[in-house]
Amino acid sequence: MQLLSSSIGRKIVMAITGLLMILFVVVHLIGNTTIFGWISGGINAYAHHLHAFPPLVWAFRLVMLATVSIHIWYGIQLTIENRGGRPQQYAVKATRKATFASENMIWTGALLFCFIVYHLLHFTVKAVPGMALVPDAEGAINVFTMVVSSFQNFFVAFIYVAAMVTLFLHLSHGIQSFFQTMGWSNNRTLPIYVKAGTLVALILFLGYVAVPLSIFAGILKG
């Protein structure tokens, strides 16, 4: 609790929860790319194995829900403090011009939260109209057909691409901020972390948009 009583402590918690979410984003991307068929059975086999143990899936979802909630809660707190005239500093000071991404972390975070809700309604709850829900012989939904039919819709594909642009902006600053917050950065290493964070964010962006763009362009067909 003493850790959470200081702004630096709350930033450390935000950094750790942010790292956990980045790891999830990486793993989730690997799973998404199975739609290109680099594993036997493609994304249908991936989805089948992923949901083979429902209690484990729900436990993981609860952990991620807690992680996201904590990250958002302290993000809002720190933003209010900063704008209330009590600017907070990183564990390692670094003089650097503010960027669009750094100045709008709260807004890109808010947009990503809205997208997460939409994404869950889309592919988890399956409440977004316009996608084909075709069951297989065992009664399970054909995930490949569901995804392809969804991204053939321009507006759905646009929402996902726009969300990935937002993710790129958020991560391009958030990754290097992790090292600053943890005190692992200095004036010599900071530019390296900035470039590395931007590169990682770009790779994730390209990986995620490859799916909806490939489908909308007709490269992947159901």
Side-chain angles (χ1 to χ4, degrees):
M1 295 303 296
Q2 290 180 345
L3 177 70
L4 302 180
S5 64
S6 68
S7 60
I8 293 299
R10 291 194 292 272
K11 283 190 175 184
I12 290 174
V13 173
M14 277 199 70
I16 294 173
T17 53
L19 177 62
L20 292 175
M21 287 187 288
I22 291 173
L23 294 175
F24 170 77
V25 167
V26 172
V27 173
H28 191 52
L29 174 59
I30 295 172
N32 284 1
T33 59
T34 59
I35 197 170
F36 294 107
W38 59 267
I39 68 168
S40 178
I43 197 169
N44 286 332
Y46 166 73
H48 174 75
H49 291 300
L50 186 66
H51 295 90
F53 303 99
L56 184 61
V57 172
W58 278 104
F60 178 78
R61 286 173 176 171
L62 290 175
V63 170
M64 290 308 303
L65 175 62
T67 301
V68 172
S69 299
I70 292 170
H71 192 80
I72 292 174
W73 176 251
Y74 287 122
I76 293 173
Q77 281 193 1
L78 289 168
T79 300
I80 293 174
E81 288 179 6
N82 291 342
R83 295 183 178 180
R86 296 190 299 275
Q88 310 300 322
Q89 298 180 356
Y90 289 110
V92 173
K93 296 180 181 179
T95 55
R96 188 169 160 265
K97 289 184 178 180
T99 63
F100 177 84
S102 65
E103 289 186 326
N104 292 279
M105 288 294 282
I106 188 66
W107 300 114
T108 54
L111 288 173
L112 286 173
F113 174 75
C114 293
F115 170 72
I116 290 172
V117 174
Y118 173 81
H119 182 59
L120 291 174
L121 289 173
H122 190 182
F123 287 125
T124 301
V125 181
K126 300 176 179 61
V128 175
M131 57 182 177
L133 301 177
V134 180
D136 59 19
E138 298 179 356
I141 297 298
N142 187 310
V143 177
F144 181 84
T145 302
M146 178 179 68
V147 174
V148 169
S149 64
S150 295
F151 289 137
Q152 286 174 338
N153 183 304
F154 169 79
F155 294 103
V156 174
F158 176 80
I159 288 172
Y160 275 80
V161 172
M164 293 308 101
V165 172
T166 307
L167 179 65
F168 167 78
L169 292 172
H170 200 75
L171 292 185
S172 64
H173 177 72
I175 292 174
Q176 60 95 3
S177 293
F178 171 82
F179 293 98
Q180 285 184 282
T181 300
M182 300 304 291
W184 299 340
S185 176
N186 54 47
N187 290 333
R188 180 177 60 84
T189 60
L190 180 59
I192 298 174
Y193 292 142
V194 171
K195 292 179 181 179
T198 302
L199 178 60
V200 171
L202 179 61
I203 292 172
L204 291 172
F205 166 76
L206 293 175
Y208 272 104
V209 299
V211 176
L213 291 182
S214 295
I215 293 172
F216 188 74
I219 299 173
L220 278 178
K221 300 179 180 180

